[in-house]
Amino acid sequence: MDLKLYDTLTKDKRAFVPLDPRNVRMYVCGPTVYDFAHIGNARPVIVFDVLFRLLRHIYGDSHVTYVRNITDVDDKINDRALRDYPGLPLNEAIRKVTEKTATQFRADVDALGCLQPTVEPRATDFVLPRPDGKTDMVSLIKTLIDRGHAYEANGEVLFDTASMPDYGQLSGRKLEEQQAGARIAVDAHKKHAADFVLWKQSSADEPGWDSPWGRGRPGWHIECSAMSAAYLGETFDIHGGGLDLIFPHHENEIAQSRCAHGTHAMANYWLHNGFLQVEGEKMSKSLGNFVTINDLLETDKFGGKRWDGPTLRLAMLRTHYRQPIDWTVKGLEEAERTLRNWANILERNQTSFVDESAPANSVAAALADDLNTPMAIAEMHKLAEGARKDDLGSAQALHNSAKWLGIFDSSIFSSEALSSIGQAAVKLTSPEFQREISAKIEARTAARARKDWKESDRIRDELAAMGVAIKDSKEGTTWEIAR
Ligand code: AMP
Ligand code: ZN
């Protein structure tokens, strides 16, 4: 299958060629864990989960490594720790905040049908050199200083942007422009306005680690340079995140990683999702126009009712990932109606389901075109149309695709329907069970051909005992789950 992806760095959509098809490697910037994640934060998680599923489909489940970090060192975390646990020592309070928030985040994105990434490293485990020798932030910063790409000033270590001739390629920002714009605001200790912090000092009431530059803590960007190299190597395939991360975060990750490793690329494809908006404005904590994933799932704060995970996920995927989404009650209602509609159609055809999770070819092909989820959903509507006309192949393909895409929830079937699908449907997940049925049907066909009716009936009874009913016609023998 030809996968094409749009690359923010080269500004074109081109064929995806992995460095190593036996280990396709993707890094996505994860949450800063100080508070509940809002539904805008869920957008990159869902978008890159679909890409993860597609890569696994194309290259095989065990041939894709997906790293999504957890940022557990940040001034917002300190503030929250001081506010929520004033009696505790700071380190303990911080640990409480980050653990609680990370657990909530996992529960939230789990409800949104997202698979766990292969690895979910925490930034604080990568500050100091590690016993396992995996890349760490302090060593990376040392290398940058040794190679003339960073300098110490005023107790900080700063990246020297002028030392990298092609700094600014991802965002298209020129160093000279930044210099001019920031003339007055330039901190006196910086050589250049665009120079950014790799390491800063910590006061006694801030978290800190002992380093060659005193007790301090890392800047934000260096975290991702360290954790991506630790698990994916110096150059890897795909780096993702929201549009707002292009500058400065990803620009600076590229500068650090390429200058530390002496490489031409940090990642070969840079993917960015558009914003989730409310009335034309980016949803964000600072604007106060946000609704958390948890609010949507557990309360009636948005639209006066709770929404289930598959509905939220489908509502998100109805828009192509690079376009802005307006998050509205109407959009959620439409997604909910679609899922209910599909569930009704599938319920009518349920008897012959083989419980599989795989995209229909048309669905996979749509997604292979730069993750065209609206097109994939349109293809699923076509399958639903076929299923409505009792085409079992379409029903099966719709079921499998919805399940694979993470928007099928068996609870959408009513409980009588589920019990009428019965045990056989559950067993049918197993390919061995299907092979067994096929073998029995073949044996029965052979018996009939030699007019051995006794043997033929015996096999029919055996199949019936397994919960399988067979039907003979001119075209041959077919089977379904016995009602
Ligand atoms: P943050 O916690 O702000 O660092 O964001 C975590 C991830 O969510 C990043 O990939 C952001 O780009 C993304 N993000 C934050 N707000 C939005 C939004 N309104 N729409 C889409 N993505 C967002
Ligand atoms: Zn990052």
Side-chain angles (χ1 to χ4, degrees), residues 28-32 34 38-44 76 220 240-245 273-277 281-284:
V28 175
C29 300
T32 303
Y34 68 100
H38 62 66
I39 190 69
N41 299 130
R43 190 168 190 196
K76 288 191 283 269
W220 172 31
L243 214 53
D244 50 343
L245 298 187
N273 63 270
F275 291 139
L276 181 144
Q277 305 180 325
E281 272 199 293
K282 178 192 172 196
M283 180 178 282
S284 75

Side-chain angles (χ1 to χ4, degrees), residues 29 224 249 253:
C29 300
C224 292
H249 186 52
E253 279 188 37

Side-chain angles (χ1 to χ4, degrees), residues 346-359:
L346 290 179
E347 239 177 327
R348 290 199 296 130
N349 290 296
Q350 59 185 278
T351 43
S352 30
F353 282 159
V354 177
D355 191 15
E356 268 175 351
S357 156

Side-chain angles (χ1 to χ4, degrees), residues 148-336:
H149 290 295
Y151 59 94
E152 235 187 302
N154 228 7
E156 289 184 340
V157 182
L158 294 152
F159 185 89
D160 186 352
T161 45
S163 75
M164 183 186 189
D166 56 356
Y167 176 83
Q169 273 189 334
L170 183 72
S171 59
R173 293 186 187 217
K174 301 240 165 36
L175 273 183
E176 309 81 66
E177 288 166 13
Q178 293 182 48
Q179 183 81 31
R183 206 172 296 146
I184 304 157
V186 177
D187 293 323
H189 66 295
K190 284 190 185 180
K191 288 194 200 168
H192 195 288
D195 293 356
F196 55 90
V197 170
L198 300 173
W199 188 264
K200 57 189 162 204
Q201 286 185 339
S202 293
S203 63
D205 57 3
E206 285 167 337
W209 290 260
D210 289 323
S211 79
W213 320 285
R215 184 176 174 278
R217 59 194 191 283
W220 172 31
H221 319 306
I222 196 74
E223 289 177 17
C224 292
S225 285
M227 288 181 276
S228 62
Y231 288 103
L232 303 177
E234 295 179 351
T235 302
F236 50 94
D237 296 300
I238 299 170
H239 194 314
L243 214 53
D244 50 343
L245 298 187
I246 295 176
F247 188 88
H249 186 52
H250 289 169
E251 194 70 85
N252 293 346
E253 279 188 37
I254 292 175
Q256 297 162 159
S257 294
R258 283 188 44 206
C259 290
H261 307 310
T263 47
H264 291 294
M266 178 184 187
N268 285 336
Y269 300 81
W270 287 83
L271 270 63
H272 293 98
N273 63 270
F275 291 139
L276 181 144
Q277 305 180 325
V278 184
E279 285 163 21
E281 272 199 293
K282 178 192 172 196
M283 180 178 282
S284 75
K285 285 268 159 72
S286 53
L287 288 174
N289 61 349
F290 65 92
V291 54
T292 69
I293 304 169
N294 189 255
D295 285 340
L296 290 159
L297 291 167
E298 305 286 348
T299 76
D300 55 9
K301 279 189 197 163
F302 194 80
K305 59 175 282 195
R306 295 180 192 199
W307 304 92
D308 59 25
T311 298
L312 300 173
R313 186 171 169 99
L314 181 63
M316 196 75 89
L317 295 178
R318 280 159 30 110
T319 306
H320 186 258
Y321 78 95
R322 288 197 283 121
Q323 301 298 321
I325 297 187
D326 250 316
W327 195 252
T328 59
V329 173
K330 188 165 158 275
L332 292 184
E333 283 169 349
E334 281 169 16
E336 193 175 55

